[in-house]
Amino acid sequence: MVPHLTTALSGPINELEQRVLESMPAIERWFRLEWMEHTPPFYCSVDIRNAGFKLAPVDTNLFPGGWNHLTPEMLPLAVQAAMAAIEKICPEAKNLLIIPENDTGNTFYLSNIAQLERIFHMAGLNVRVGSVNPDIKEPTRIDIPGGETLCLEPVVRGKYRLGLKDFDPCTILLNNDLSAGPPGILEELHEQYLLPPLHAGWTVRRKSRHFQSYEEVAKRFGKMLGIDPWLINPMFNTCGEVDMSQDEGMECLRTNVDALLGRVRKKYKEYGINEKPFVIVKADNGSYGMGIVTVRDVRDLERLLPALQERANRPGGQAARGVIIQEGVLTNERMHQAVAEPVVYMMDRYVVGGFYRVHAERGVDENLNAPGAGFVPLAFAESTRLPQPGQKPGASAPNRFYMYGVIARLAMLAASYELEATDPEAEIYD
């Protein structure tokens, strides 16, 4: 089912879809050449928003949860991608250790871990789940939704290796975004593969660096396709010295919010878009600290400052000193009368599935990743429904989902650029 696109300004998106479908061989060759030069993240998910006049990624997660929302029909693709990813990294792999977040009370998150365990078991690995939570001192079984149980075991650290009692993995899969910093127990593992690497965590990672890389990718892709890269790229500014908890750097924030709103207005005028531009202000280093705030006018900042300061003072996580000001992208898709945005899941360089995140209580210009959100599977894994170039744009679910997969892979490619630039073992550290 193609969600209803509630906008009359669907011309640019239909034209983009047509261009993408017509250029499919060139696009796939372009990606193949890129992956010859760059290593994709082990896995990731990408939040995409379709405004009807613009289609762009708004967030890329390198430690994706939510695997439990992938349907059984999607699992064969995920298993094949897992096989390809493991074979590339460690062909002789036998044992895999998954390290989850420390929150053992979130059973829906633990269902995501159980799904990952299932995927890699079917890919031919012995899989166990090891916790770095100091409260886990012995094997602990936790009931999770669906009548299953998940066993968390305390990790055991040797001089150069991490494992469990009587379980020595060659590969360790992190499903923990390291927002509170990397535990020392994960450092200096010289004889094991740690995926993703520690520098993918929020101690090092910055959203602004990712979207700087994405802007570069979008420009090159847009040139190949002959399109304005703005149609697939959210513009952004940054303020590195902002500290909301101390009311520092507010002038920088005002200046950059105003400047970005002006750039968006100019683009809206160019395309004849009669919508009110907005920007999203959020922490540059992950989800902790300052929350996500929608700003439509620079004067809104004064009214929003108390809320920003309150969020900046929340305990836990890295201090949110820097902020990213990102062009707001409307989501004009509806499913079951609720606002919807696609989330695309990838492993290695392959799209393996995804879902629509829907929220009946949120608006088209608000963050949907909030309590009350629901999830409706995408149809990526229906093998008989490949892209159909002859179909009218906007009429075919496989065509729209193929377009979403292209945008998601562009974001994944940007993440590979980003990780190369921040790799502490690279010859040049940017």
Side-chain angles (χ1 to χ4, degrees):
M1 181 177 77
V2 179
H4 180 50
L5 196 59
T6 58
T7 174
L9 292 169
S10 57
I13 285 297
N14 285 345
E15 292 165 16
L16 176 63
E17 181 179 311
Q18 190 69 41
R19 187 71 58 89
V20 166
L21 291 170
E22 290 172 352
S23 306
M24 193 184 303
I27 289 171
E28 296 305 324
R29 179 177 182 272
W30 187 83
F31 275 120
R32 282 198 302 273
L33 294 176
E34 286 292 329
W35 296 130
M36 288 175 66
E37 300 292 330
H38 305 282
T39 302
F42 186 79
Y43 59 3
C44 69
S45 66
V46 178
D47 295 359
I48 298 173
R49 293 178 72 115
N50 186 347
F53 54 84
K54 178 174 183 136
L55 178 71
V58 295
D59 194 33
T60 301
N61 188 347
L62 298 184
F63 299 87
W67 290 91
N68 51 309
H69 298 304
L70 270 59
T71 62
E73 292 78 15
M74 296 178 185
L75 288 189
L77 278 178
V79 170
Q80 287 179 328
M83 286 178 173
I86 291 293
E87 184 177 334
K88 184 189 302 181
I89 294 162
C90 183
E92 69 277 11
K94 179 181 178 182
N95 297 334
L96 175 78
L97 180 65
I98 300 176
I99 305 288
E101 301 275 358
N102 285 349
D103 183 6
T104 58
N106 186 343
T107 56
F108 288 101
Y109 168 73
L110 294 180
S111 294
N112 146 76
I113 296 297
Q115 182 83 304
L116 282 171
E117 188 177 25
R118 189 175 298 114
I119 289 169
F120 286 99
H121 175 75
M122 288 191 287
L125 295 167
N126 300 314
V127 188
R128 307 261 286 270
V129 181
S131 177
V132 296
N133 185 339
D135 294 335
I136 302 293
K137 296 181 172 60
E138 60 184 7
T140 304
R141 290 197 169 275
I142 299 175
D143 293 333
I144 59 176
E148 294 181 283
T149 61
L150 182 72
C151 184
L152 299 179
E153 302 180 65
V155 297
V156 177
R157 173 67 196 247
K159 186 175 181 180
Y160 293 119
R161 297 183 75 84
L162 186 71
L164 307 175
K165 183 181 178 182
D166 302 324
F167 186 77
D168 183 30
C170 92
T171 305
I172 298 168
L173 179 64
L174 278 179
N175 197 250
N176 179 328
D177 66 10
L178 307 177
S179 292
I185 200 170
L186 296 178
E187 296 177 341
E188 298 183 13
L189 296 173
H190 301 306
E191 299 176 2
Q192 289 171 307
Y193 295 96
L194 184 66
L195 304 168
L198 291 180
H199 67 275
W202 287 119
T203 313
V204 174
R205 193 174 182 229
R206 295 295 180 268
K207 294 176 183 177
S208 54
R209 185 187 292 274
H210 173 75
F211 282 101
Q212 182 180 11
S213 296
Y214 183 81
E215 185 174 61
E216 177 187 343
V217 168
K219 284 179 179 176
R220 293 178 50 237
F221 184 80
K223 184 176 181 180
M224 181 191 70
L225 236 59
I227 62 167
D228 180 353
W230 177 77
L231 293 172
I232 58 171
N233 179 41
M235 298 185 290
F236 73 96
N237 282 338
T238 58
C239 284
E241 69 274 21
V242 173
D243 185 351
M244 291 295 177
S245 63
Q246 303 295 325
D247 196 15
E248 294 176 3
M250 284 301 296
E251 190 54 42
C252 171
L253 188 58
R254 291 186 194 95
T255 300
N256 281 283
V257 164
D258 199 37
L260 186 55
L261 283 169
R263 291 167 63 196
V264 178
R265 285 190 199 99
K266 186 176 179 181
K267 277 293 183 182
Y268 279 20
K269 184 176 181 181
E270 179 183 340
Y271 282 92
I273 297 164
N274 297 315
E275 300 281 356
K276 187 173 177 62
F278 66 100
V279 298
I280 301 296
V281 179
K282 54 187 175 182
D284 202 12
N285 61 329
S287 55
Y288 287 91
M290 193 187 66
I292 298 173
V293 173
T294 301
V295 181
R296 299 172 187 81
D297 190 289
V298 71
R299 290 170 294 187
D300 291 346
L301 287 172
E302 303 301 329
R303 177 175 53 81
L304 294 169
L305 183 57
L308 292 172
Q309 289 174 328
E310 179 187 351
R311 296 178 191 190
N313 284 317
R314 286 178 181 169
Q318 298 291 309
R321 293 199 62 88
V323 300
I324 179 171
I325 303 123
Q326 191 176 55
E327 175 190 354
V329 181
L330 297 167
T331 179
N332 274 319
E333 288 188 291
R334 293 287 191 285
M335 185 168 278
H336 310 315
Q337 287 74 54
V339 177
E341 66 181 6
V343 184
V344 179
Y345 277 66
M346 290 162 288
M347 192 174 292
D348 193 55
R349 58 193 178 96
Y350 305 103
V351 172
V352 298
F355 51 82
Y356 272 98
R357 183 185 288 121
V358 298
H359 205 305
E361 298 175 5
R362 291 288 174 119
V364 296
D365 58 356
E366 293 183 294
N367 172 38
L368 304 187
N369 190 9
F375 307 94
V376 179
L378 290 170
F380 281 119
E382 296 183 30
S383 59
T384 58
R385 302 188 67 187
L386 295 171
Q388 302 161 0
Q391 286 273 350
K392 181 180 177 182
S396 163
N399 286 354
R400 184 179 292 181
F401 295 157
Y402 175 74
M403 184 168 63
Y404 289 163
V406 168
I407 298 299
R409 285 185 287 163
L410 292 175
M412 178 169 60
L413 179 58
S416 73
Y417 286 17
E418 173 195 359
L419 291 176
E420 288 167 8
T422 57
D423 185 351
E425 297 183 5
E427 292 184 9
I428 298 176
Y429 186 87
D430 184 10

